[in-house]
Amino acid sequence: MIRNETGLLGPDALPSVIDLLKKAISLPVDKSTQLPDGYDAENDYYNLGLAYEESGRYDEADAALSTFLDTHPNDVGVTYERANIKWKQGRNEDTVQLYRQALKIRPHFLEALNNLAEVLIAVGSPAQAEAVVLGALYDAQGEWLVKDAGQRWRLYDTYAAAQLGMAAA
């Protein structure tokens, strides 16, 4: 959901949010004017991408997030969000590539690890999914990498799905 200073904005506000962000992006940034500390005009592309995604406009969301990544190539959250968009579009090869890219930036990003394993199961690669999950759960000595029990169980659910996929093959 998109937020403003008064809280969450509902889906009916998304067209207005999108229009405002597109206008903000089209305005030239005058460095001599007083901008808020930490303001980064590229964040408008990030916010526009999220608004498009909330609206189900996935191609436009991906384009806006890609523009943001042009100037912030190591932003793991935006890379992960692009992977989620590709997954919603059924573009599984792109999804796998983007989750792997996010994991190069942050190797123990559990949500990306879990989602990568789920996509690998969906495309008929349960053995690869199993390897991803086991690599997320344990280090080389068999010690837990995931301390949080809830996150551990989520990964175990994905592991079980991988096992079922291998048994069915």
Side-chain angles (χ1 to χ4, degrees), residues 5-164:
E5 61 277 352
T6 62
L8 293 176
L9 298 175
D12 54 322
L14 287 172
S16 297
V17 170
I18 289 170
D19 287 342
L20 287 171
L21 287 167
K22 286 168 55 177
K23 286 178 186 172
I25 288 168
S26 69
L27 295 173
V29 176
D30 181 358
K31 303 278 187 197
S32 66
T33 61
Q34 183 64 33
L35 295 173
D37 286 339
Y39 177 77
D40 181 351
E42 297 300 319
N43 284 337
D44 292 335
Y45 284 104
Y46 170 72
N47 291 323
L48 180 61
L50 295 182
Y52 278 138
E53 183 181 8
E54 288 279 329
S55 299
R57 296 165 65 178
Y58 299 128
D59 288 334
E60 293 160 297
D62 186 53
L65 294 177
S66 292
T67 299
F68 177 85
L69 285 171
D70 289 344
T71 55
H72 300 81
N74 292 319
D75 190 305
V76 69
V78 175
T79 303
Y80 172 78
E81 200 56 46
R82 284 193 67 221
N84 291 340
I85 289 167
K86 298 293 186 187
W87 196 2
K88 289 174 186 175
Q89 293 177 306
R91 296 176 58 185
N92 293 329
E93 287 181 29
D94 292 337
T95 303
V96 167
Q97 184 265 329
L98 284 163
Y99 282 136
R100 289 190 191 281
Q101 186 177 336
L103 290 164
K104 284 180 185 172
I105 299 167
R106 191 166 84 199
H108 295 288
F109 185 4
L110 292 179
E111 291 86 357
L113 287 161
N114 189 74
N115 289 2
L116 172 59
E118 288 183 11
V119 174
L120 289 169
I121 292 166
V123 299
S125 299
Q128 287 182 39
E130 179 186 45
V132 167
V133 171
L134 291 177
L137 285 169
Y138 304 105
D139 67 15
Q141 291 74 40
E143 297 293 323
W144 289 112
L145 289 172
V146 179
K147 306 297 183 201
D148 180 85
Q151 291 176 335
R152 206 178 300 154
W153 280 111
R154 182 173 177 213
L155 287 166
Y156 271 131
D157 285 345
T158 304
Y159 175 77
Q163 292 289 308
L164 289 173

